[in-house]
C-alpha cells in the first residue's frame, strides 16, 4: 500500500521553488523562506506563475513526485511527471478497450456519482430534518433515485450525459438548503465554473481541481494514461480518465465545503470579487481550504470493495489500481467507489 505523505501547497504568488541537495527550497525576492526534505513530500501544488527551477523538476521526476502548476485562481495549468511506470502492455490494453468502451463503465460511473450524492443529501437530512420543510429535498431524492435507474436504461454516452446533467441540476438546485449558517454570504443559485460567480462555487472549483490532479497522478503512477478515458471526451490538455474517476468522489469535496461553511471555519473575508463578477479565494482563504483538505485526506474510511481501512488521500490510488486490474482482466468489473 502506498504511504500517504504530505502534499506541499505553494499559495504565495511571489514564491519560487528550487533545489538544494535533497531539499526543496522556497524563496522570493527577499530570500529563502523555508526548505523541506523530499522524503516528506508526496506531491507539490504550485499556485503561481513563477514556478520552479528545471533542476527541481528533474529531481521530482526522478523521485516520482507529481509537480502540479495551478493558476492563483485555481485553474489547472500543467503537471510535470516522471517516467511512466508499469509496462506498455497495460496502456495498449487501455487504448484497445477504451477505443470502444463497454457502456457499463460509464453507466456505473454516473450511477456511483448519483448514489454518493444521495448519501450526502440523506446524511444532511438525517442530521437536520428541518431543512426539508417544503419537501423540495425529498423530491430531489426521489428524482436522483430514478436517475440511477435511468443510467442503466441509457444506450449511449450522450444519453448518460443528459441524465447526469439533469441530476446535477436537481442536486445543485437544493444544495443551498444544505447550507445552515452564514446564509447572507454563502449561497448557491446554480453551478458556475469558469469563472465561479459566488463563494460556494469558488470553493468547489478550487477543490475539484486539486482532486482531479491527484487522480491524474495516481493513474500515471499505476501505468495508465490519465488523458485517455472511457466517458469524458478526449480533449487536448485534459486528463479525461482522471475526470472519469473523480466523478465517484465529488461528494467528498461537497461535504467538506458544507462543513467549512456550517462550522464557520471560513467566512466572507476569505474571498475577493473581481470587477468581472468572478469570485476567488484570498491567500488566507486558500490556506484554510488546503489545511482542511489535508486533514480530510488523513481521515480514514472503510473501502467498500477491498474491505480495508484507508486514508481518503489514498482513494485515488486504490481506484486507479482497481481500474488497472480490470483492464488487465484480473477482475471482471471495475468497482466504483460507493460511500457507506
Amino acid at each position: 500500500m502506498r504511504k500517504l505523505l504530505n502534499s506541499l501547497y505553494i499559495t504565495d504568488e511571489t514564491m519560487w521553488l528550487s533545489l538544494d541537495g535533497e531539499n526543496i527550497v522556497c524563496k522570493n525576492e527577499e530570500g529563502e523562506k523555508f526548505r523541506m526534505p523530499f522524503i516528506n513530500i508526496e506531491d507539490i501544488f504550485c499556485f503561481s506563475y513563477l514556478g520552479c527551477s528545471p533542476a527541481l523538476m528533474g529531481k521530482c521526476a526522478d523521485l516520482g513526485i507529481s509537480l502540479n502548476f495551478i493558476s492563483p485562481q485555481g485553474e489547472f495549468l500543467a503537471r510535470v511527471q516522471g517516467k511512466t511506470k508499469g509496462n506498455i502492455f497495460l496502456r495498449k490494453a487501455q487504448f484497445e478497450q477504451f477505443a470502444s468502451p463497454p457502456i457499463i463503465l460509464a453507466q456505473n460511473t454516473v450511477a456511483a456519482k448519483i448514489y454518493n450524492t444521495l448519501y450526502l443529501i440523506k446524511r444532511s437530512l438525517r442530521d437536520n430534518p428541518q431543512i426539508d420543510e417544503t419537501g423540495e429535498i425529498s423530491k430531489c431524492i426521489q428524482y436522483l433515485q430514478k436517475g440511477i435507474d435511468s443510467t442503466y436504461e441509457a444506450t449511449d454516452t450522450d444519453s448518460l450525459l443528459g441524465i447526469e446533467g439533469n441530476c446535477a441540476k436537481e442536486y445543485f438546485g437544493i444544495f443551498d438548503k444544505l447550507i445552515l449558517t452564514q446564509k447572507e454570504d454563502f449561497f448557491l443559485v446554480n453551478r458556475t465554473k469558469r469563472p465561479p460567480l459566488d463563494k460556494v462555487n469558488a470553493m468547489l472549483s478550487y477543490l475539484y481541481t486539486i482532486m482531479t490532479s491527484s487522480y491524474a497522478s495516481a493513474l500515471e503512477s499505476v501505468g495508465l494514461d490519465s488523458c485517455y478515458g472511457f466517458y469524458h471526451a478526449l480533449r487536448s490538455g485534459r486528463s479525461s480518465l482522471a475526470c472519469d474517476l473523480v466523478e465517484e468522489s465529488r461528494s467528498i469535496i461537497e461535504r467538506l465545503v458544507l462543513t467549512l461553511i456550517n462550522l464557520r471555519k471560513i467566512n466572507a473575508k476569505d474571498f475577493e470579487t473581481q470587477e468581472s463578477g468572478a469570485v476567488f479565494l484570498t491567500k488566507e482563504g486558500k490556506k484554510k481550504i488546503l489545511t482542511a483538505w489535508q486533514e480530510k485526506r488523513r481521515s480514514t474510511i472503510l473501502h467498500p470493495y477491498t474491505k480495508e481501512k484507508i486514508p481518503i488521500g489514498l482513494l485515488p490510488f486504490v481506484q486507479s489500481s482497481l481500474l488497472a486490474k480490470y483492464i488487465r482482466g484480473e477482475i471482471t468489473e471495475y468497482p466504483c467507489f460507493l460511500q457507506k
Side-chain angles (χ1 to χ4, degrees):
M1 180 64 70
R2 182 186 177 101
K3 184 179 180 182
L4 180 63
L5 300 175
N6 292 315
S7 293
L8 177 60
Y9 301 98
I10 306 299
T11 58
D12 191 328
E13 300 174 33
T14 67
M15 293 297 178
W16 166 269
L17 296 179
S18 62
L19 174 68
D20 184 11
E22 297 300 316
N23 295 289
I24 301 168
V25 179
C26 185
K27 53 189 175 181
N28 61 13
E29 293 181 352
E30 298 176 358
E32 183 177 321
K33 294 301 178 180
F34 70 86
R35 59 177 53 213
M36 185 175 295
F38 283 100
I39 194 171
N40 295 326
I41 299 299
E42 179 181 32
D43 45 25
I44 300 172
F45 293 87
C46 193
F47 293 85
S48 167
Y49 291 117
L50 295 181
C52 65
S53 70
L56 178 64
M57 290 185 188
K59 186 71 172 180
C60 287
D62 289 340
L63 296 177
I65 296 173
S66 174
L67 185 55
N68 301 277
F69 294 98
I70 301 172
S71 76
Q73 290 75 35
E75 180 183 357
F76 177 78
L77 299 174
R79 179 176 52 258
V80 176
Q81 190 114 9
K83 294 180 180 178
T84 301
K85 297 183 180 179
N87 59 63
I88 186 60
F89 296 106
L90 174 59
R91 291 205 172 199
K92 180 173 180 289
Q94 176 190 0
F95 297 151
E96 290 174 347
Q97 291 189 39
F98 291 177
S100 182
I103 190 67
I104 191 65
L105 272 176
Q107 288 173 324
N108 284 344
T109 293
V110 175
K113 177 182 181 179
I114 300 172
Y115 174 90
N116 290 332
T117 297
L118 276 167
Y119 179 87
L120 183 155
I121 297 173
K122 290 178 179 179
R123 179 176 173 178
S124 298
L125 186 57
R126 183 185 68 238
D127 295 339
N128 303 278
Q130 75 280 2
I131 62 178
D132 194 30
E133 291 179 351
T134 63
E136 290 180 69
I137 294 180
S138 293
K139 290 180 181 178
C140 179
I141 290 174
Q142 293 175 2
Y143 188 92
L144 296 181
Q145 288 172 334
K146 292 179 181 178
I148 293 177
D149 295 333
S150 297
T151 60
Y152 293 103
E153 297 172 359
T155 57
D156 54 62
T157 300
D158 288 339
S159 299
L160 279 172
L161 286 168
I163 294 168
E164 181 190 5
N166 289 334
C167 286
K169 184 178 179 180
E170 290 291 324
Y171 169 48
F172 285 116
I174 60 94
F175 195 84
D176 190 66
K177 293 184 176 295
L178 308 182
I179 299 173
L180 307 177
T181 64
Q182 307 185 82
K183 298 289 287 185
E184 292 184 1
D185 296 318
F186 292 91
F187 49 83
L188 189 144
V189 178
N190 51 57
R191 181 79 178 104
T192 56
K193 305 175 183 179
R194 300 180 185 87
L197 299 177
D198 58 64
K199 301 175 183 63
V200 177
N201 273 299
M203 297 170 71
L204 289 172
S205 293
Y206 195 73
L207 285 167
Y208 285 154
T209 297
I210 294 172
M211 179 175 268
T212 303
S213 295
S214 295
Y215 267 93
S217 298
L219 287 164
E220 297 287 343
S221 74
V222 301
L224 293 171
D225 190 324
S226 66
C227 293
Y228 199 76
F230 56 82
Y231 180 46
H232 285 81
L234 299 183
R235 182 184 300 170
S236 179
R238 181 169 75 177
S239 297
S240 294
L241 185 54
C243 292
D244 291 344
L245 295 196
V246 83
E247 297 290 359
E248 309 165 14
S249 47
R250 283 181 180 270
S251 61
I252 294 174
I253 294 296
E254 292 146 13
R255 182 71 184 178
L256 177 59
V257 167
L258 289 170
T259 298
L260 288 170
I261 297 171
N262 290 336
L263 295 183
R264 301 179 185 275
K265 292 186 176 182
I266 197 161
N267 56 62
K269 295 180 181 179
D270 296 316
F271 300 83
E272 56 186 9
T273 303
Q274 299 185 346
E275 291 184 4
S276 63
V279 179
F280 297 111
L281 286 152
T282 63
K283 180 180 177 181
E284 184 62 28
K286 293 174 185 176
K287 182 179 178 181
K288 290 180 180 180
I289 291 285
L290 295 174
T291 298
W293 175 235
Q294 192 69 4
E295 292 175 358
K296 185 69 173 179
R297 292 176 73 238
R298 294 187 177 279
S299 62
T300 58
I301 56 172
L302 180 65
H303 194 278
Y305 181 80
T306 65
K307 305 302 180 184
E308 295 179 359
K309 285 188 176 181
I310 62 167
I312 285 179
L314 285 184
L315 184 60
F317 297 94
V318 173
Q319 294 305 120
S320 296
S321 296
L322 290 172
L323 182 61
K325 286 179 178 291
Y326 165 75
I327 291 172
R328 286 194 295 263
E330 296 175 16
I331 54 178
T332 57
E333 186 175 347
Y334 165 66
C336 294
F337 170 68
L338 299 175
Q339 288 194 287
K340 299 292 185 180

